[in-house]
Amino acid sequence: MKQYVDVIVPLPIAGQYTYSLPETLADQVGEGCRVVVPFGKKKFYTAIVTKVHRTPPADYTTKDIAEVLDSRPVLLPRQYALWQWMADYCLCTLGDVYKAALPSGMKLESESVVTLNEDFEADGPLPEKEQRILDLLGTDPEQCVTQLEKSSGIRHLLPVIKSLLDKEAIRMKEELKRSYRPRTEACVRLTPPYQTEEALHALFESLHRAPKQLRLLMKYMERSGWSRPDGQVQEVQRQALLEAAGAAPDALNALLKKQVFELYRRETGRLSLREQATVAPHPLGEAQQHALQAILTTFGQKNVCLLHGVTASGKTEIYIHLIEKVLQAGKQVLYLLPEIALTTQITERLRRIFGARLGIYHSKFPDAERVEIWQKQLSDHDFDIILGVRSSIFLPFKRLGLVIVDEEHETTYKQQDPAPRYHARNAAILLASLYGAKTLLGTATPSIESYYNALQGKYGLVELTERYRNIQLPRIELVDIKELARKKLMVAQFSPFLLQQMRQALERKEQVILFQNRRGFAPMIECRTCGWVPRCKNCDVSLTYHKALNQLTCHYCGYTFSIPRSCPACGGVELVNRGFGTEKIEDDIRRIFPEATVARMDLDTTRTRTAYERILTDFESGKTDILIGTQMISKGLDFDRVSVVGILNADSLLNYPDFRAYERAFQLMAQVAGRAGRRDRQGLVVLQTKSPELPLIHQVIGNHYVQMYREQLAERELFRYPPFFRLVYVYLKHRKEEVLDEAAVQMALRLRHGLGERVLGPDRPPVARIQTLYIKKIMVKIELSASLIQVRRYLLDVQRTLVAEERFRSLMVYYDMDPY
């Protein structure tokens, strides 16, 4: 009887598809394996099998799968359960989750290949772009579309391709693209005729006139251990053999020609798996020991525990001791961090203790390495500890016992675009529950939702109120820059007090961190005469000036614009910078402290893994005196010699149209302040603000987290925000503003019909156009007692009926569940 498989394809399409199994492949496919399937008229995708059965679909004729890629599953049952929860909860498709979860190298898909029609003869001269494509195909008659686009420099290539297809100058075909290839190395071994002692003796005799070949053969025998009593022959790498024997390739080629040796390729992998010496963890202090014991006690009663410990209280050492206990029980640990920058520092600490049992997984690793980590986790020799950022929750685990979410309050745990828009903290808790594992949330500044859950008894709560070795919390000095600016005492963005403290720190050979949560040289430039500001042509934002690139850039779509010599609106030549970013601060600091070594850490300077590592290593080793950065530098970094931290403009953190603005500002300032004085002396934080009277500023100075929490909680209860209500943001996008406006009004009306006053909007978000798409937002507030399943079902029903109408056919609708 014919067999069928249900599969997920990596596309944002609702539901799964059924394909038939050819008889030749019937015994090769299991649930969780990858298969190549035809999709549409010509495309091929890598799908994942979720079910093997004998029931054909009723409403369409099935196609055969084209190829089986795996002999054993790459998606384990508990991973699939996580995918299903995420698709349901985040109101997206399983295809969205699949696309986010698997490394690109594991998702083969077909690519359009353009081939030159050798028989084509043009009737007359072709347009310049079409001729350029034919010229490129003349040198290489088969090229993929992306390659042609890059070589030709033509941004909108498809109309050119279509025109050439109509003229029959070119042809198109689909080819599977395999981006992952295992790394291999050439090895040498004896051919079967020479694998006896008699044959080898005869061979040695015959080579006495070829000393180089004889020396190579002798070195092979030595390195392979061919004559060992246990008969275990070691593999011998070709290059290593030549170097060890001091021989030229000619000698080896001669032995290959005589068929004494044969070459073969061995898969080596890209992961560093060398065994290394390890050390015991540092002993815990008394307060740390009490906290560890309290966590273990809490885990006896609850599955989730919040560790609220002040900055520099030694939370990482507690994690290490907890990891040791979990490993002793034969379980695995997932250690989540909010930022790739943090993995650089913590990797070294964990490697010293756990050695090769530790695996690292994040997006700055080459895709091939991520594929190999995935494969290793499926093998019998998987990593005991995975250290990584939010995407690590998708890795396969077989015996997960603990998930640590470090700096659990961080906003970077929330995936924004594309779908699934999940929060790694919530997904980690669900993942742990699927394995019967425990989850530890650690931070100095808990999110209000987590702290509320802990106080309500949903999570356990352990508090660590003193720093390691009783080091004092940093002294925070408030500086009113509004008054200083009025008196014209500011030097660029720096108060005289901050500059004085920086100068004294540098004289003592100590280090300084300066924080400004905006990259670039200036947020915008403006014409002093008429007020004209250059704006992105695709997005509803002003362009940011980047001095190093000498251009204006949009941070949403990447659009760039050359700096005009005069104002296009009025012809004026006085174009001035407004505001300042990290690049401007770096420029000013180099001018004020020419003798100091300065580094900048933001998205512009850390686009590669090595850039992160170099900046942090140089600062940690003392090669850098002053580090300037965005929120990247606030997240748990630990430096011995930092004595002064400058927060240059606290007000910029507060001016966001978001109910979490004060909470996030407190967290960010408290975390940045925590980088100061982390060893044997009290540090200093200089907090510059134009609003010194704000209660939040004084809560940061006094480290009054609980006070901030109570104030924000009272406001949120009054205005029906989390943790008392759930939020869902409904986003609508369209290229035509008038169509979008009508659709948004219609959707809000239909939602109100079923959800009543829970629905607010539609409104324009702060950035109302991105990449030529206009955006509207509807907010839905849902009380905790309401059925979330019914609300989600109603939202999707309203969307389906709306986009079914002809005028809204091209409308894009997506959801952000718990957008915090």
Side-chain angles (χ1 to χ4, degrees):
M1 191 173 174
K2 197 167 184 63
Q3 283 189 300
Y4 300 89
V5 290
D6 293 343
V7 302
I8 312 168
V9 289
L11 297 168
I13 298 169
Q16 299 185 30
Y17 285 81
T18 303
Y19 286 82
S20 48
L21 270 176
E23 286 187 19
T24 53
L25 301 177
D27 297 330
Q28 299 177 30
V29 177
E31 292 176 4
C33 292
R34 294 174 303 151
V35 292
V36 176
V37 297
F39 196 85
K41 290 184 178 179
K42 294 181 178 178
K43 296 292 283 185
F44 288 84
Y45 289 100
T46 301
I48 292 190
V49 176
T50 59
K51 187 179 178 184
V52 182
H53 58 91
R54 298 185 183 277
T55 310
D59 49 353
Y60 60 90
T61 305
T62 58
K63 298 177 182 178
D64 283 351
I65 65 169
E67 187 179 346
V68 177
L69 296 176
D70 302 306
S71 58
R72 61 180 183 177
V74 298
L75 179 69
L76 304 179
R78 282 180 281 206
Q79 280 177 285
Y80 181 44
L82 177 70
W83 287 20
Q84 289 175 305
W85 169 84
M86 193 172 282
D88 289 340
Y89 191 83
C90 298
L91 292 160
C92 64
T93 68
L94 272 169
D96 287 320
V97 182
Y98 168 24
K99 196 161 187 180
L102 254 70
S104 299
M106 296 179 73
K107 300 189 292 272
L108 311 184
E109 61 182 70
S110 62
E111 187 169 39
S112 300
V113 174
V114 181
T115 61
L116 183 66
N117 179 4
E118 302 285 357
D119 300 327
F120 171 71
E121 291 183 9
D123 297 334
L126 293 171
E128 186 267 334
K129 289 183 179 178
E130 292 181 19
Q131 189 59 52
R132 201 187 314 171
I133 296 300
L134 291 183
D135 291 343
L136 287 168
L137 289 170
T139 57
D140 183 359
E142 268 196 20
Q143 295 187 47
C144 65
V145 171
T146 50
Q147 184 183 343
L148 271 175
E149 196 167 35
K150 190 175 179 181
S151 305
S152 66
I154 302 170
R155 291 193 67 178
H156 302 290
L157 187 63
L158 291 182
V160 183
I161 295 288
K162 186 178 183 305
S163 176
L164 288 169
L165 278 169
D166 292 341
K167 293 170 182 170
E168 298 185 354
I170 58 172
R171 297 189 179 95
M172 298 281 286
K173 64 179 182 179
E174 291 289 314
E175 281 188 1
L176 271 179
K177 180 178 62 175
R178 298 177 187 265
S179 58
Y180 170 74
R181 285 182 174 79
R183 178 178 285 176
T184 60
E185 62 182 9
C187 293
V188 178
R189 65 187 169 204
L190 285 172
T191 56
Y194 291 98
Q195 289 182 8
T196 65
E197 287 195 24
E198 295 81 8
L200 278 172
H201 279 302
L203 178 62
F204 283 131
E205 288 294 326
S206 68
L207 290 177
H208 74 278
R209 291 179 180 275
K212 291 179 181 178
Q213 295 176 37
L214 182 60
R215 187 164 69 248
L216 198 62
L217 178 62
M218 295 290 286
K219 186 57 71 173
Y220 169 82
M221 303 299 289
E222 176 192 321
R223 293 181 76 87
S224 67
W226 198 86
S227 58
R228 280 170 48 171
D230 59 9
Q232 291 293 315
V233 178
Q234 303 295 311
E235 291 187 293
V236 179
Q237 200 253 340
R238 174 186 178 276
Q239 192 59 37
L241 176 62
L242 288 172
E243 289 172 4
D250 290 349
L252 178 60
N253 291 338
L255 289 170
L256 289 168
K257 194 172 181 180
K258 292 174 182 176
Q259 297 185 347
V260 173
F261 283 148
E262 63 182 359
L263 283 179
Y264 67 99
R265 299 204 72 84
R266 178 186 69 178
E267 191 172 323
T268 58
R270 295 165 173 84
L271 306 179
S272 176
L273 303 174
R274 294 192 313 271
E275 288 296 329
Q276 61 186 78
T278 57
V279 298
H282 294 298
L284 297 178
E286 189 178 345
Q288 290 172 308
Q289 190 62 51
H290 286 155
L292 176 61
Q293 198 53 51
I295 291 166
L296 293 170
T297 304
T298 301
F299 279 156
Q301 303 154 7
K302 298 185 186 298
N303 290 326
V304 184
C305 179
L306 174 64
L307 173 60
H308 179 199
V310 296
T311 54
S313 57
K315 293 187 289 296
T316 306
E317 285 302 325
I318 294 174
Y319 301 156
I320 288 170
H321 281 257
L322 196 56
I323 289 169
E324 236 191 355
K325 290 183 181 295
V326 174
L327 298 190
Q328 285 168 6
K331 301 283 190 177
Q332 289 172 301
V333 177
L334 171 59
Y335 190 145
L336 288 177
L337 294 164
E339 193 77 61
I340 294 167
L342 265 175
T343 61
T344 303
Q345 262 204 343
I346 292 180
T347 297
E348 294 311 310
R349 291 178 71 173
L350 295 180
R351 277 247 163 88
R352 281 199 299 269
I353 295 157
F354 301 110
R357 302 173 79 179
L358 174 72
I360 317 295
Y361 190 83
H362 59 64
S363 59
K364 283 291 191 287
F365 272 50
D367 190 68
E369 284 189 33
R370 281 182 281 153
V371 170
E372 291 184 8
I373 289 174
W374 191 289
Q375 291 171 341
K376 184 170 172 60
Q377 289 305 95
L378 289 167
S379 73
D380 297 330
H381 307 287
D382 48 355
F383 288 114
D384 291 324
I385 310 161
I386 289 289
L387 176 69
V389 291
R390 63 172 181 254
S391 58
S392 306
I393 62 164
F394 293 117
L395 281 170
F397 294 93
K398 296 177 182 174
R399 45 196 172 84
L400 189 65
L402 174 68
V403 180
I404 297 170
V405 185
D406 197 12
E407 310 293 348
E408 66 85 27
H409 66 279
E410 278 293 347
T411 56
T412 41
Y413 279 128
K414 180 73 165 76
Q415 163 71 11
Q416 300 296 342
D417 278 310
R421 294 170 182 84
Y422 66 98
H423 198 297
R425 178 188 60 224
N426 301 342
I429 292 170
L430 189 278
L431 176 70
S433 71
L434 291 171
Y435 285 85
K438 305 297 182 182
T439 307
L440 179 64
L441 312 177
T443 177
T445 52
S447 65
I448 284 176
E449 291 77 26
S450 293
Y451 200 64
Y452 177 81
N453 284 334
L455 293 182
Q456 293 297 307
K458 185 177 178 182
Y459 302 163
L461 176 63
V462 175
E463 309 237 39
L464 191 57
T465 56
E466 61 183 61
R467 281 185 147 195
Y468 184 60
R469 294 181 180 169
N470 292 313
I471 298 166
Q472 291 179 287
L473 284 165
R475 175 170 58 95
I476 302 180
E477 291 287 344
L478 190 63
V479 177
D480 183 354
I481 55 175
K482 184 178 179 182
E483 184 63 19
L484 289 170
R486 189 182 66 79
K487 294 178 180 177
K488 297 194 166 112
L489 295 175
M490 292 288 287
V491 179
Q493 297 80 42
F494 315 104
S495 61
F497 178 72
L498 175 57
L499 291 176
Q500 178 194 353
Q501 296 302 320
M502 288 175 65
R503 195 165 279 112
Q504 289 174 3
L506 293 174
E507 287 169 359
R508 296 193 299 266
K509 303 297 182 189
E510 293 169 346
Q511 292 172 303
V512 177
I513 288 178
L514 296 177
F515 169 75
Q516 168 65 8
N517 204 26
R518 188 187 289 274
R519 61 191 172 104
F521 191 84
M524 64 182 188
I525 63 171
E526 181 183 77
C527 173
R528 184 171 279 175
T529 308
C530 71
W532 171 82
V533 173
R535 304 186 71 80
C536 177
K537 69 173 187 178
N538 304 317
C539 310
D540 186 20
V541 291
S542 58
L543 297 172
T544 301
Y545 172 42
H546 288 256
K547 187 179 179 183
L549 302 171
N550 195 33
Q551 67 185 19
L552 300 163
T553 303
C554 173
H555 288 170
Y556 285 87
C557 71
Y559 169 73
T560 58
F561 186 75
S562 299
I563 298 167
R565 296 188 178 184
S566 60
C567 172
C570 70
V573 292
E574 284 193 89
L575 299 176
V576 294
N577 300 322
R578 294 294 184 206
F580 59 94
T582 48
E583 192 181 5
K584 174 80 164 68
I585 295 163
E586 181 186 22
D587 206 49
D588 291 334
I589 285 294
R590 289 186 188 280
R591 182 170 43 79
I592 297 167
F593 298 102
E595 73 287 351
T597 309
V598 183
R600 173 163 55 95
M601 188 168 172
D602 57 27
L603 197 60
D604 295 324
T605 62
T606 55
R607 296 202 180 271
T608 65
R609 178 172 119 205
T610 52
Y612 272 107
E613 292 170 357
R614 188 186 67 253
I615 292 168
L616 291 174
T617 302
D618 286 354
F619 194 66
E620 195 168 15
S621 63
K623 291 180 183 177
T624 305
D625 301 313
I626 302 171
L627 179 63
I628 299 156
T630 56
Q631 93 286 346
M632 287 181 184
I633 62 172
S634 71
K635 299 176 183 177
L637 296 170
D638 188 0
F639 301 112
D640 293 353
R641 290 185 280 269
V642 175
S643 63
V644 175
V645 168
I647 299 172
L648 299 182
N649 186 4
D651 308 84
S652 66
L653 305 173
L654 303 170
N655 300 327
Y656 285 99
D658 193 300
F659 73 94
R660 298 151 298 184
Y662 270 41
E663 175 194 0
R664 287 184 174 174
F666 179 94
Q667 290 166 341
L668 208 44
M669 285 190 274
Q671 291 286 342
V672 172
R675 302 314 111 208
R678 296 176 66 85
R679 281 294 179 268
D680 56 352
R681 56 173 297 169
Q682 186 181 28
L684 171 70
V685 178
V686 180
L687 198 160
Q688 297 187 165
T689 177
K690 296 173 185 173
S691 313
E693 72 288 348
L694 280 178
L696 182 80
I697 300 293
H698 294 279
Q699 288 162 2
V700 172
I701 292 171
N703 197 35
H704 298 315
Y705 171 81
V706 174
Q707 189 181 328
M708 182 278 296
Y709 166 80
R710 286 174 181 159
E711 283 186 12
Q712 290 300 303
L713 203 66
E715 276 190 21
R716 293 191 186 187
E717 187 170 23
L718 182 63
F719 294 105
R720 303 196 304 169
Y721 278 104
F724 303 101
F725 281 72
R726 287 189 181 279
L727 288 188
V728 184
Y729 289 167
V730 184
Y731 288 98
L732 299 92
K733 290 185 176 182
H734 201 280
R735 295 198 182 280
K736 294 181 180 176
E737 192 172 11
E738 61 278 8
V739 175
L740 176 68
D741 290 343
E742 189 182 352
V745 169
Q746 282 294 316
M747 187 155 192
L749 282 172
R750 296 178 195 191
L751 289 177
R752 281 195 185 91
H753 181 72
L755 299 173
E757 63 178 16
R758 299 180 183 92
V759 180
L760 300 175
D763 295 312
R764 284 167 57 95
V767 180
R769 188 169 69 110
I770 296 177
Q771 296 180 359
T772 72
L773 291 169
Y774 292 93
I775 308 167
K776 278 291 180 78
K777 182 175 89 171
I778 298 169
M779 183 190 295
V780 183
K781 294 182 178 180
I782 309 161
E783 58 270 41
L784 298 181
S785 57
S787 167
L788 208 54
I789 294 172
Q790 288 185 351
V791 170
R792 289 201 295 262
R793 190 179 298 139
Y794 186 69
L795 287 168
L796 294 173
D797 286 345
V798 169
Q799 177 191 341
R800 273 192 290 270
T801 57
L802 188 70
V803 298
E805 298 180 26
E806 184 63 38
R807 57 192 168 148
F808 301 136
R809 198 57 65 78
S810 56
L811 179 73
M812 294 168 58
V813 182
Y814 64 89
Y815 307 89
D816 194 353
M817 192 82 191
D818 298 338
Y820 45 86

